[in-house]
Amino acid sequence: MAPPGRTITQLWVAGIVVGIWLLIRRWSPQYTAKISMIQAPHGMDAYLRWAKAQVEAHRADPTKQHLTLLMGNEAGDLDSAASVIALSYVMNHEPRYFREKYGLPPSIYVPVIQTPRTQLTYRRENLLVYQKIHTAPDALLCVDELGDLSSPRFSTAANVSLGLVDHPRLGAAWGDIDRRVDVIVDHHEDDGSHREAKLRMIHSPSSHPVGSAASLVAHLMSQAQGGRAVPRDVADLLLSAIVLDTRNLKMQPSGKATDVDVHAYSYLQPHSSFGPSDVDVRNGRADTSHTKAWNEDLQRVKNDVSHLDTHALLLRDLKMTSISGLHIGLAAVPLSFSAWISEAYRTHAPVNTVREEVAEREWSVWWTQLAGFMREKGMDMAVVLLSYRESTESKTKSRRDLALAYLGEAHFLEQVASSLEAYGSKKPFRDGIPLELEAWKGQRRVPSGKRERIMGIHGHQVSSVPGMSAVVWRQQNTNANRKIVQPALLRVLHHLL
């Protein structure tokens, strides 16, 4: 039994401590709120609502806490959305690792989906994954809910930094005055932007290709988490993006997956809802049988765009860029031209035959719609990248078509087109990845029995749109997606302008 004097002393000290704590609570009314702000929830839906609330809290008092807005790319695909959500999650739950490893300041990391809320339904595959991870879309912070992106509210003076996920350069809408980019995690070509970023992880397709940005986030998570378990919803989210982007780890050269994706898949699957606690990896390839059905579901939902008209199809997966004052939009669409211009995709009707006069009218309507979209978005040049599957007598093959349109002189478009056709094979672009562009042939047959050809263009001039020139190709290099086409185009334009 302790002596009476010691007991009295202990009680006296404890009373002082409690009194000081009560005084802090009394004279610091923000104390409780600040603690709850810093403690991020673990459930995904609750976490995203908490993160969204931090923007309003910061707006009310920017001095309380540094804020970093992590944004996915403007196309808003699943890889982009999943990666930015998961990266913010691990950075908020493992802040010490990122402070010590990369020298990042103490901050709250908030994921921003760069898709307006009304357009979330354009990507049903994303909604399917949100449902799987028990997250309602209204928990997301969409870009249009931030207001004017060029506002001083998002400047360094306002105690805000920015982070880029699945793209390497800050979009023009965010302005360039007093903006600080602290984080870049990306698998597009490195254009040298934002060298000052403290965490700058870019795997360029030309040197260190990676199929999915989610694989890079999984790598960062494995480093930050150590041997600790990954929350199931986070693992399901990242794994879904990897599976969809790489077609269930279809390896290069026939697919997009690389060793980085295999390692990420092997790390995530044991923590996910997709099967066994370990993954069999042999000769650099993982057993993906447990995600085969999920991949098929995701691909089917992604490729069913029957609910979208031409305007929505162009907007659904659009990225904007510029060079020397030339504004360019690159839209990726999971359709063939034959299915698109005929609107057969809306009823899932077969694409078989067409009379030439009918095809002429269809192309005229499509070119007019494209020109209107370009003017609406302030584009000088549009690139439309089409990807689809075509059944032959023996099997189903991947196909790509590519259209290039320019609101200006046909002579300039002809120079760009001839340079892209020679890209990767002739100087000065011999070191580039060839796109293998050939004259376009459609899926439908005309009465003569031949495949349909491009209509509505005469000498590169679009008949239905004065002042518009264009070209359409069949792209034989089916692995050359936008990550390959965009740098090639920008390099050609830099040479010509």
Side-chain angles (χ1 to χ4, degrees), residues 36-111:
S36 65
M37 180 184 75
I38 294 173
Q39 294 173 343
H42 288 274
M44 184 56 72
D45 188 271
Y47 165 74
L48 288 170
R49 294 180 190 279
W50 168 86
K52 190 175 181 178
Q54 304 318 306
V55 176
E56 289 303 317
H58 186 272
R59 185 177 297 179
D61 185 359
T63 64
K64 277 174 53 178
Q65 178 69 51
H66 185 267
L67 188 74
T68 302
L69 296 175
L70 295 178
M71 66 193 80
N73 67 42
E74 59 190 322
D77 57 293
L78 179 61
D79 191 32
S80 176
S83 295
V84 76
I85 291 171
L87 182 62
S88 75
Y89 187 97
V90 68
M91 294 185 81
N92 282 322
H93 286 94
E94 303 289 347
R96 181 176 178 180
Y97 172 81
F98 290 94
R99 287 199 304 268
E100 294 180 355
K101 176 71 175 180
Y102 298 102
L104 288 162
S107 186
I108 297 293
Y109 296 89
V110 176

Side-chain angles (χ1 to χ4, degrees), residues 427-449:
K427 291 182 178 180
F429 312 114
R430 186 169 289 168
D431 59 335
I433 298 174
L435 304 181
E436 301 175 23
L437 302 176
E438 299 180 354
W440 182 79
K441 296 179 182 179
Q443 293 174 290
R444 298 181 294 184
R445 303 277 180 176
V446 297
S448 66

Side-chain angles (χ1 to χ4, degrees), residues 152-198:
R153 291 190 295 109
F154 306 120
S155 66
T156 54
N159 207 17
V160 174
S161 296
L162 304 173
L164 313 179
V165 181
D166 203 22
H167 62 304
R169 181 194 291 186
L170 187 64
W174 289 86
D176 56 4
I177 299 176
D178 198 23
R179 295 295 191 262
R180 188 176 82 198
V181 174
D182 274 345
V183 177
I184 304 178
V185 178
D186 185 38
H187 64 148
H188 294 80
E189 204 65 34
D190 186 354
D191 65 1
S193 299
H194 313 299
R195 292 286 186 189
E196 74 284 0
K198 296 179 182 297

Side-chain angles (χ1 to χ4, degrees), residues 103-393:
L104 288 162
S107 186
I108 297 293
Y109 296 89
V110 176
V112 178
I113 307 299
Q114 287 212 85
T115 301
R117 181 161 296 281
T118 57
Q119 295 173 23
L120 290 179
T121 56
Y122 289 8
R123 289 190 173 275
R124 289 176 171 174
E125 68 276 18
N126 291 21
L127 301 181
L128 181 62
V129 174
Y130 298 149
Q131 182 180 10
K132 183 171 183 60
I133 63 170
H134 314 101
T135 297
D138 66 353
L140 302 170
L141 174 62
C142 293
V143 67
D144 54 327
E145 295 166 333
L146 290 174
D148 180 8
L149 302 182
S150 63
S151 166
R153 291 190 295 109
F154 306 120
S155 66
T156 54
N159 207 17
V160 174
S161 296
L162 304 173
L164 313 179
V165 181
D166 203 22
H167 62 304
R169 181 194 291 186
L170 187 64
W174 289 86
D176 56 4
I177 299 176
D178 198 23
R179 295 295 191 262
R180 188 176 82 198
V181 174
D182 274 345
V183 177
I184 304 178
V185 178
D186 185 38
H187 64 148
H188 294 80
E189 204 65 34
D190 186 354
D191 65 1
S193 299
H194 313 299
R195 292 286 186 189
E196 74 284 0
K198 296 179 182 297
L199 196 176
R200 193 175 190 277
M201 178 182 289
I202 301 179
H203 284 237
S204 298
S206 61
S207 55
H208 300 93
V210 177
S212 173
S215 297
L216 299 178
V217 175
H219 171 74
L220 285 169
M221 180 170 283
S222 69
Q223 299 297 307
Q225 294 269 110
R228 292 185 296 280
V230 179
R232 175 169 287 190
D233 285 349
V234 179
D236 282 353
L237 180 65
L238 288 173
L239 204 57
S240 296
I242 295 168
V243 164
L244 180 62
D245 252 27
T246 65
R247 291 189 173 273
N248 208 26
L249 283 193
K250 186 176 182 180
M251 301 295 290
Q252 289 189 342
S254 59
K256 293 168 57 178
T258 68
D259 289 345
V260 177
D261 302 294
V262 173
H263 292 151
Y265 184 101
S266 303
Y267 167 66
L268 293 168
Q269 185 179 308
H271 304 284
S272 75
S273 62
F274 295 104
S277 58
D278 59 353
V279 179
D280 185 18
V281 179
R282 298 181 184 179
N283 300 319
R285 295 177 182 267
D287 174 14
T288 59
S289 59
H290 295 278
T291 50
K292 182 176 182 293
W294 183 234
N295 171 59
E296 292 171 353
D297 288 344
L298 289 173
Q299 300 292 346
R300 174 181 49 78
V301 173
K302 176 185 176 181
N303 293 325
D304 182 4
V305 290
S306 57
H307 60 300
L308 303 177
D309 60 13
T310 288
H311 186 276
L313 286 171
L314 291 168
L315 194 59
R316 171 181 174 272
D317 195 348
L318 176 70
K319 292 184 180 179
M320 299 291 295
T321 188
S322 62
I323 181 171
S324 301
L326 190 74
H327 299 287
I328 308 157
L330 299 98
V333 179
L335 289 173
S336 70
F337 264 125
S338 295
W340 190 353
I341 65 172
S342 67
E343 295 197 341
Y345 75 96
R346 306 207 74 167
T347 59
H348 303 287
V351 181
N352 295 322
T353 61
V354 63
R355 297 196 311 274
E356 290 176 331
E357 63 270 20
V358 173
E360 183 84 35
R361 289 196 299 270
E362 291 171 346
W363 276 108
S364 177
V365 169
W366 190 84
W367 289 121
T368 302
Q369 291 174 327
L370 177 63
F373 183 79
M374 291 174 67
R375 293 189 179 105
E376 175 191 322
K377 297 299 178 184
M379 297 180 199
D380 302 299
M381 181 175 286
V383 182
V384 185
L385 306 97
L386 293 89
S387 59
Y388 55 100
R389 308 279 288 177
E390 185 176 28
S391 297
T392 64
E393 293 181 359

